Amino acid sequence: MSDSSQPQRALDQTAFDEWPDSIRALFDGSSLASKTGFTASLLTVDVNQHIRTSLLGIGELYAPDSRTLCIALWPQARAARAIARSGRAALSFVFDDVFYQVQLLAAPLPSADGDDSGLVYMNCSIESAETQSVQYARLTSGITFELDVGREKVLDRWERQVEHLKRAASSGG
């Protein structure tokens, strides 16, 4: 029986500087087909100081260790230009009923040998991060999507992208 005279904490926040094990497993580059639908919001600030959001799927994210996240971006993406200019971004997402927000310091990664994707790779380290949840409500999802037409082509591309991220991270991170 709970004591109703005790005020319930409205917001539970936890700071971290290393990926929790569940997030490392999410960003480990394996089993991408089972992780489709996961979406993270990459927030950057453009030259006009406008906040911009880019949505990333699981095939564009790879955590080679507990403090790093490698990201694959299209070179024409506003996020790629903003990160190249500022060296900063924030990543937010929902996973296992919890909201994550991670402040990242970013630097370019060299393309891996044999990479002809045209993608830009970023090596990001966790500057600061936190989780947020509330006891009275459960986050059931963030932004999610379904792969429809061309699902196999997208999954094949993601597999190649993550392999390139892995090689780039191991050779130049």
Side-chain angles (χ1 to χ4, degrees), residues 40-170:
S41 297
L42 184 69
L43 304 164
T44 57
V45 177
D46 70 14
V47 293
N48 296 318
Q49 300 303 302
H50 294 133
I51 297 170
R52 301 294 184 177
T53 302
S54 298
L55 300 178
L56 302 179
I58 200 64
E60 295 151 330
L61 304 163
Y62 170 64
D65 60 52
S66 65
R67 295 178 183 261
T68 306
L69 183 67
C70 297
I71 300 173
L73 298 169
W74 296 106
Q76 67 272 22
R78 292 183 295 200
R81 292 189 304 271
I83 293 171
R85 183 182 52 76
S86 71
R88 303 181 64 83
L91 190 76
S92 61
F93 56 92
V94 172
F95 185 72
D96 280 346
D97 305 335
V98 177
F99 175 75
Y100 288 80
Q101 186 160 46
V102 184
Q103 301 297 318
L104 299 168
L105 298 175
L109 263 175
S111 293
D113 290 337
D115 178 18
D116 61 355
S117 68
L119 295 171
V120 172
Y121 301 113
M122 300 289 173
N123 188 55
C124 304
S125 59
I126 298 173
E127 179 182 34
S128 65
E130 68 179 21
T131 62
Q132 297 178 11
S133 61
V134 293
Q135 295 176 0
Y136 59 84
R138 188 171 57 86
L139 290 172
T140 57
S141 70
I143 300 168
T144 59
F145 68 92
E146 290 181 18
L147 292 174
D148 292 325
V149 177
R151 174 183 168 84
E152 292 308 314
K153 283 185 178 181
V154 171
L155 288 172
D156 288 344
R157 178 172 50 87
W158 280 1
E159 292 286 345
R160 288 190 308 275
Q161 286 174 192
V162 170
E163 286 307 313
H164 291 306
L165 281 171
K166 287 178 181 179
R167 287 200 310 273
S170 68

